Amino acid sequence: MKKLILGLFLILGAVSFTMPNFINKKYIKDAGYTIDKDENNIFSFVMSDQESALTIAFFKTDLDPKALSEGVKNGFSNKIQFLTELENSKAYINEYKADKFYMYIIVPKNQKVKNYSVLATYHYVNRLTKSTVDRSVNFILEEIDSSIK
């Protein structure tokens, strides 16, 4: 029993040190997000409801935002159909269609954490208009900024 408890504390201790030090853990928890991945090279958190899901991921890379957006565009299976590439002054957005939802991959043009890139994946049951995409991107970029210390 003592070994089991010691093992749990060691695992929890290792996990707590894996989270990048620039992450605002209190904001993530208070905003209702769930931590999805907490590994050496990637940290992500997610929130979802019946109609939508938002995942924000920070990962170690030296790619510039445009190259990252292009790299993501080519990384999906044929079950997800690429629709269009959108761009505004703040982000690159790739739009996809799957069987039961639309997916928007958002890569901010201004990456704020050195040696890390951030991207967000937003799933929604219906296709969004351009103006709705722009409003959603603004909200998501605010969420990203709030999750950084």
Side-chain angles (χ1 to χ4, degrees), residues 68-83:
L68 178 59
S69 179
E70 289 295 321
V72 169
K73 187 178 359 178
N74 300 320
F76 289 102
S77 72
N78 56 1
K79 293 181 180 181
I80 298 176
Q81 175 190 6
F82 175 75
L83 296 177

Side-chain angles (χ1 to χ4, degrees), residues 2 14-15 17 22 31 57 59 62 71 77 83 86 99 121 132 136 144:
K2 288 182 183 179
V15 167
F17 289 114
F22 59 82
F59 52 97
D62 58 356
S77 72
L83 296 177
L86 306 167
D99 288 338
T121 306
T132 305
S136 298
I144 290 169

Side-chain angles (χ1 to χ4, degrees), residues 7-132:
L8 286 174
F9 279 115
L10 289 173
I11 290 170
L12 292 173
V15 167
S16 66
F17 289 114
T18 305
M19 181 182 298
N21 60 359
F22 59 82
I23 296 294
N24 185 344
K25 184 178 179 180
K26 181 175 176 9
Y27 175 79
I28 291 170
K29 180 182 173 191
D30 291 348
Y33 288 98
T34 302
I35 295 174
D36 183 46
K37 287 192 187 236
D38 188 1
E39 300 171 1
N40 283 338
N41 294 325
I42 187 168
F43 178 80
S44 65
F45 49 98
V46 63
M47 181 185 296
S48 64
D49 60 26
Q50 296 294 326
E51 295 182 338
S52 66
L54 173 63
T55 303
I56 298 173
F58 292 88
F59 52 97
K60 288 186 180 182
T61 184
D62 58 356
L63 291 175
D64 72 319
K66 180 68 175 170
L68 178 59
S69 179
E70 289 295 321
V72 169
K73 187 178 359 178
N74 300 320
F76 289 102
S77 72
N78 56 1
K79 293 181 180 181
I80 298 176
Q81 175 190 6
F82 175 75
L83 296 177
T84 188
E85 182 175 14
L86 306 167
E87 180 178 347
N88 63 24
S89 63
K90 298 178 181 180
Y92 300 104
I93 305 113
N94 293 321
E95 182 181 34
Y96 301 87
K97 168 112 176 67
D99 288 338
K100 298 181 181 180
F101 62 88
Y102 288 86
M103 181 171 63
Y104 300 85
I105 307 273
I106 298 107
V107 179
K109 289 182 176 180
N110 183 12
Q111 297 285 333
K112 297 186 176 182
V113 180
K114 186 178 181 180
N115 298 325
Y116 277 83
S117 290
V118 61
L119 67 77
T121 306
Y122 182 60
H123 296 83
Y124 197 70
V125 294
N126 299 315
R127 190 170 190 182
L128 302 177
T129 65
K130 172 76 168 111
S131 63
T132 305

